Amino acid sequence: MKRRYDLGEQPPLGTIPPRMLAAVVRPGRFGPPRESLAVEEVDTPTVGPEQVLVWVMAAGVNYNMVWAGRGQPVDVTAARRREGNPEGLHIGGSDAAGIVWAVGERVTGTRVGDEVIVTGAQWDERATDIRLGADPTTSRTMRAWGYETSFGGLAQFALADEYQVHPKPATLGWADAGCFGVSAGTAYRQLFGWPPHQVRPGDPVLIWGGAGGLGSMAIQLTHRAGGTAIAVVSDPRRAEHCLKLGARAVIDRSRFSHWGRLPDTGDPAFRGWQLGVRAFQRAWWAALGERRDPRIVFEHPGQGTLPTSVACCEPGGMVVLCGATSGYNGDVDLRYLWMRQIRMQGSHVANTRQFRSVIELAGRGLLDVCRTQTFPLAEAGEAHQVLHDGTGLGNLAITVNAI
Ligand code: NDP
């Protein structure tokens, strides 16, 4: 057996070389993805009793690796050191597709040779809160795979728990299969995971960042459920992308300037903010074609948009948020919240059933995974830079062993 295989070479099924190639973040190399991510040779992980080792064919591009490379808000390399990796090497990546290469002795649901999609959330199935019935994504043991844990998808071998691996639909090629799980699963949970605020036929849904990874999934899921998706974008190319996916209309956010933190209610600038929100609301009504507010606001930009999201939401509706690309200080004029009895709901990745649902939709051709660009592993930093710069559309993929 060779000590390490090159990308494009394949060891015999089940043969595990001691070393592998991986895109890693290491201490002292924090910064934008282009600088922080580099391919290095590292030790291949060892499979534990309930784990699965996957020969990764392709992986996804998520913000998790942007945050990891930045060292903010969490220094993942310090976490890796605490876990016993003396160099603090972080092997990230929260989406992958590949072939099962080894299984732990207690694994029963998957076998060596299975083609699988690996989904990006981990928890301890024996945790007390899960045993008492908690949704695993709310468990105190929940971890974002490839961010809060190492040995994610951006390597020749990835280490996952058994429940993370799902059969890869034969209709999806490797790059498609590896690129959409986190985006689609997260969007699905936001739109269908919080009853009674699940998208119903006729519901207007405001989708921020409609041309991005999450947004591209959210438009389609809303449309397929009979809802009316109105997407927000920042340029005509992104508008066209959203309309092709089924958005009824788009709003270009570059036409407005009231974004960012809410001015103090006693400040004269507050009036300017209110006028900005009203102008946005008029644009929303024009886009929808009726004077009705969104029943669900699909949030993830955070600081820049949250004040508007709350002010625009229909009475009794929900603002559902899974991230804060533009900053963590999400201001709310509380009067909107209580007078209109709006629900603000945090949402984080997806549970096993939700992940499986989007994989099946994609497998049946009912959800376009929206892979718009594909990069080799050597360009993992460049791929994440596209995400960081907000210049990409839909989901991006990285081919690992499937070169
Ligand atoms: P993308 O970059 O693919 O898409 C985000 C889109 O948001 C951009 O395309 C941009 O579109 C829009 N956007 C960016 N900045 C702003 C802003 N200041 N105001 C309004 N819109 C803005 O990213 P993803 O869809 O992959 O992820 C989005 C966020 O969701 C990230 O913060 C990520 O960390 C988080 N996330 C959280 C998950 C969870 O489970 N908690 C899972 C997945 C993602 P445009 O310029 O056209 O408006």
Side-chain angles (χ1 to χ4, degrees), residues 243-294:
L243 292 170
K244 275 193 196 141
L245 292 177
R248 155 98 52 101
V250 292
I251 300 173
D252 188 336
R253 68 182 168 98
S254 62
R255 288 168 42 209
F256 305 87
S257 57
H258 65 290
W259 310 119
R261 298 205 63 180
L262 189 66
D264 190 272
T265 49
D267 191 317
F270 185 74
R271 179 79 189 130
W273 176 80
Q274 281 182 313
L275 291 174
V277 167
R278 280 187 204 151
F280 182 80
Q281 206 163 23
R282 282 195 296 276
W284 161 271
W285 292 331
L288 186 64
E290 61 177 309
R291 204 181 159 94
R292 189 179 166 195
D293 294 326

Side-chain angles (χ1 to χ4, degrees), residues 61-64 67 142 182-183 186-187 190 208-216 232-235 238-239 242 251 253 259 298-305 321-327 347-350 386-396:
V61 177
N62 310 117
Y63 253 94
N64 283 343
W67 309 133
M142 153 75 195
V182 167
S183 296
T186 305
Q190 284 182 267
W208 294 106
L214 283 175
S216 296
V232 182
V233 294
S234 58
D235 68 39
R238 306 173 80 70
C242 296
I251 300 173
R253 68 182 168 98
W259 310 119
F298 184 87
E299 246 294 343
H300 50 90
Q303 183 168 307
T305 52
L321 176 144
C322 75
T325 316
S326 61
S347 193
H348 195 31
V349 279
V386 171
L387 190 68
H388 171 274
D389 297 344
T391 51
L393 293 172
N395 287 311
L396 314 177

Side-chain angles (χ1 to χ4, degrees), residues 3-351:
R3 186 174 154 73
R4 175 180 70 70
Y5 286 77
D6 285 329
L7 295 168
E9 286 186 306
Q10 185 158 310
L13 183 65
T15 298
I16 302 167
R19 303 280 285 172
M20 65 172 185
L21 295 170
V24 302
V25 172
R26 57 164 61 242
R29 201 174 58 203
F30 291 137
R34 201 174 275 140
E35 292 163 25
S36 58
L37 274 183
V39 174
E40 300 186 23
E41 186 180 308
V42 297
D43 285 341
T44 305
T46 311
V47 70
E50 285 157 7
Q51 289 178 315
V52 174
L53 189 70
V54 176
W55 173 250
V56 178
M57 301 304 276
V61 177
N62 310 117
Y63 253 94
N64 283 343
M65 208 56 176
V66 175
W67 309 133
R70 216 186 251 181
Q72 294 284 344
V74 176
D75 177 352
V76 290
T77 66
R80 302 295 83 86
R81 277 209 180 102
R82 285 196 296 277
E83 289 161 6
N85 180 321
E87 285 186 276
L89 286 185
H90 174 73
I91 302 168
S94 300
D95 273 313
I99 302 168
V100 174
W101 224 250
V103 297
E105 68 228 30
R106 290 209 283 275
V107 169
T108 54
T110 189
R111 286 183 302 194
V112 170
D114 286 353
E115 296 192 350
V116 295
I117 290 179
V118 188
T119 52
Q122 278 192 342
W123 45 76
D124 178 357
E125 289 191 308
R126 293 204 188 83
T128 304
D129 49 10
I130 291 176
R131 286 187 167 173
L132 290 175
D135 181 298
T137 63
T138 67
S139 170
R140 298 182 74 84
T141 64
M142 153 75 195
R143 299 281 179 270
W145 182 64
Y147 180 56
E148 293 170 288
T149 74
S150 197
F151 303 120
L154 291 170
Q156 286 182 296
F157 285 101
L159 197 56
D161 289 341
E162 182 182 6
Y163 56 83
Q164 281 179 266
V165 302
H166 304 255
K168 179 181 86 65
T171 49
L172 296 182
W174 287 118
D176 282 347
C179 77
F180 77 104
V182 167
S183 296
T186 305
Y188 187 92
R189 182 176 178 84
Q190 284 182 267
L191 295 170
F192 301 102
W194 303 104
H197 293 92
Q198 292 151 311
V199 180
R200 302 172 307 200
D203 275 349
V205 180
L206 166 54
I207 298 170
W208 294 106
L214 283 175
S216 296
M217 302 295 104
I219 290 171
Q220 297 181 73
L221 292 170
T222 298
H223 187 53
R224 197 152 280 290
T228 304
I230 307 284
V232 182
V233 294
S234 58
D235 68 39
R237 182 181 69 117
R238 306 173 80 70
E240 195 188 325
H241 174 87
C242 296
L243 292 170
K244 275 193 196 141
L245 292 177
R248 155 98 52 101
V250 292
I251 300 173
D252 188 336
R253 68 182 168 98
S254 62
R255 288 168 42 209
F256 305 87
S257 57
H258 65 290
W259 310 119
R261 298 205 63 180
L262 189 66
D264 190 272
T265 49
D267 191 317
F270 185 74
R271 179 79 189 130
W273 176 80
Q274 281 182 313
L275 291 174
V277 167
R278 280 187 204 151
F280 182 80
Q281 206 163 23
R282 282 195 296 276
W284 161 271
W285 292 331
L288 186 64
E290 61 177 309
R291 204 181 159 94
R292 189 179 166 195
D293 294 326
R295 178 168 181 260
I296 297 177
V297 180
F298 184 87
E299 246 294 343
H300 50 90
Q303 183 168 307
T305 52
L306 189 70
T308 304
S309 293
V310 172
C312 285
C313 187
E314 181 176 77
M318 173 175 74
V319 176
V320 59
L321 176 144
C322 75
T325 316
S326 61
Y328 305 120
N329 298 293
D331 298 322
V332 171
D333 181 337
L334 292 170
R335 291 169 294 188
Y336 292 102
L337 203 69
W338 93 72
M339 291 300 289
R340 296 186 183 172
Q341 304 190 64
I342 290 163
R343 172 179 182 179
M344 269 184 73
Q345 179 65 56
S347 193
H348 195 31
V349 279
N351 61 32

